Amino acid sequence: MKRVLIGGKHSRDMASAAKVAVVSRPPFDEVVIGVRGQGVRMLLGGWRKMMSTASEPSSKVAMPEKESSGGVAEKKEDKGEVMVSNYWGISRPKITREDGTEWPWNCFMPWETYRADLSIDLHKHHVPTTFLDKVAYRTVKLLRIPTDIFFRRRYGCRAMMLETVAAVPGMVGGMLLHLRSLRKFEQSGGWIKALLEEAENERMHLMTMVELVQPKWYERLLVLTVQGVFFNAFFVLYLLSPKLAHRVVGYLEEEAIHSYTEYLKDIDSGTIVNVPAPAIAIDYWRLPKDATLKDVITVIRADEAHHRDVNHFASDIHFQGKELKEAPAPIGYH
């Protein structure tokens, strides 16, 4: 009987201690375990709430909503802008223009802007001599036929389509040269950067044209189709023959020069209204504040002439039996 009485008292003491332990235990939702701390915290927090409710039915435990210090981003809307708290301490410094106004663009920085070289020869042409040259030339001429049929003289939409294609070769070439450099433990002679610069420059052409020409749904669908086909075709072509791939791009740029020249003729004749230049173009090419569409097309055409020369030059290097790394790359040409 004595053992039973002592045991019962001991059980009641243990139950009371357990009750106190449940109430006074630190909140589990502040416990973080490794990378999966948030998931563990939620599980234990739910268990603590259940046990506290069972022991004290009349009391409610407030569950503080905190973000763990494990780098989880917290987003909130403040006057239409999404604010992201950055645990890693990475933030963009405040950037201003020369006149002190805030830099409005995230897609490029002030040190990436430039003034186009308008003195470049627009009439240069690589006369096809070898078999591969003729293949490249005829291929580009054939590709121009469906473009002429679909767009006719709608040069704004035509330019938008051209830029979605023109931005692919530089990215493909730069990517493959990058992977080759990693595989063979060799430098690229600056050609990776040169080709990626070309791709970025062409992309900025597209960003500008989208501001000028609001593409319709079927034009967007056409862009998706053409880009998907062209990317894969050019990827295989560059793997098989880089000299042919660069020659094709050189001839594509010659066609782009022709198209932009016709665009300028329609602007001069009044067929296309010479509207004010978009703000993104004024900042990217450092154009005057009163720049117009004609100024934008003029600098884009100059860029295309540079791309023409660079790709024909790259193809010539391969035709001479050398690798691109053996010749200095024209970095920063735009």
Side-chain angles (χ1 to χ4, degrees):
M1 287 294 292
K2 184 176 182 181
R3 186 180 296 114
V4 172
L5 290 174
I6 293 175
K9 181 180 180 181
H10 180 69
S11 300
R12 287 193 299 272
D13 292 341
M14 289 293 291
S16 177
K19 182 177 179 180
V20 173
V22 169
V23 174
S24 62
R25 190 175 181 121
F28 282 94
D29 56 342
E30 294 182 0
V31 178
V32 179
I33 304 176
V35 178
R36 302 177 185 272
Q38 188 176 7
V40 173
R41 183 189 63 202
M42 292 174 63
L43 177 63
L44 295 178
W47 175 82
R48 181 181 66 82
K49 184 175 181 180
M50 179 183 68
M51 292 298 293
S52 300
T53 305
S55 59
E56 295 184 9
S58 60
S59 65
K60 293 184 179 180
V61 181
M63 298 290 289
E65 296 180 2
K66 297 181 181 179
E67 278 295 345
S68 69
S69 59
V72 179
E74 179 184 358
K75 297 183 179 181
K76 62 180 180 179
E77 288 213 9
D78 183 15
K79 296 181 180 179
E81 296 181 359
V82 178
M83 305 297 293
V84 181
S85 62
N86 195 337
Y87 168 77
W88 305 107
I90 299 173
S91 61
R92 171 181 160 181
K94 187 176 181 180
I95 302 173
T96 58
R97 294 191 182 97
E98 294 178 355
D99 58 4
T101 58
E102 186 175 355
W103 185 256
W105 313 107
N106 289 327
C107 53
F108 66 100
M109 295 293 105
W111 49 88
E112 296 168 346
T113 65
Y114 65 101
R115 289 184 175 88
D117 179 13
L118 302 182
S119 65
I120 191 169
D121 186 359
L122 299 173
H123 303 288
K124 288 168 67 175
H125 167 64
H126 183 277
V127 179
T129 54
T130 66
F131 173 74
L132 288 181
D133 283 352
K134 293 176 181 178
V135 169
Y137 185 74
R138 295 301 176 189
T139 300
V140 172
K141 288 298 183 182
L142 286 174
L143 291 175
R144 180 179 170 177
I145 294 175
T147 306
D148 289 342
I149 294 175
F150 186 81
F151 291 107
R152 300 183 183 275
R153 297 194 68 85
R154 294 185 297 130
Y155 286 107
C157 298
R158 185 192 189 102
M160 182 196 66
M161 173 61 68
L162 281 174
E163 299 304 343
T164 61
V165 172
V168 170
M171 180 61 65
V172 171
M175 175 185 66
L176 291 176
L177 288 179
H178 174 74
L179 295 177
R180 176 176 179 152
S181 177
L182 297 180
R183 288 195 312 271
K184 296 194 172 184
F185 311 108
E186 62 183 18
Q187 50 87 16
S188 70
W191 279 95
I192 296 174
K193 185 174 179 61
L195 293 177
L196 293 180
E197 276 186 350
E198 176 186 316
E200 175 65 10
N201 182 242
E202 297 283 12
R203 190 184 66 84
M204 290 305 301
H205 292 178
L206 176 63
M207 295 298 100
T208 301
M209 296 311 301
V210 169
E211 292 291 324
L212 293 167
V213 183
Q214 299 298 326
K216 300 178 176 59
W217 69 268
Y218 57 86
E219 292 170 338
R220 291 177 179 269
L221 181 61
L222 181 62
V223 166
L224 291 174
T225 305
V226 171
Q227 188 186 80
V229 173
F230 184 76
F231 176 88
N232 289 284
F234 191 82
F235 180 84
V236 174
L237 178 62
Y238 203 98
L239 286 175
L240 297 175
S241 177
K243 58 185 174 184
L244 177 58
H246 282 292
R247 190 68 79 202
V248 167
V249 178
Y251 286 128
L252 282 173
E253 299 297 355
E254 290 184 15
E255 291 298 327
I257 294 170
H258 173 74
S259 295
Y260 283 118
T261 300
E262 293 297 312
Y263 199 165
L264 288 172
K265 288 181 180 178
D266 281 0
I267 293 175
D268 290 335
S269 65
T271 305
I272 298 176
V273 181
N274 191 22
V275 298
I280 189 171
I282 291 175
D283 281 338
Y284 183 68
W285 282 283
R286 300 178 190 171
L287 298 174
K289 297 297 183 182
D290 58 348
T292 61
L293 174 61
K294 182 177 179 179
D295 299 318
V296 174
I297 301 304
T298 302
V299 293
I300 291 179
R301 184 179 62 172
D303 288 348
E304 304 294 6
H306 281 284
H307 301 159
R308 170 204 63 192
D309 294 348
V310 169
N311 281 278
H312 280 315
F313 172 50
S315 185
D316 289 344
I317 295 172
H318 285 293
F319 270 105
Q320 294 170 15
K322 300 178 181 179
E323 295 184 3
L324 291 182
K325 66 178 182 179
E326 300 179 49
I331 300 175
Y333 63 90
H334 285 312

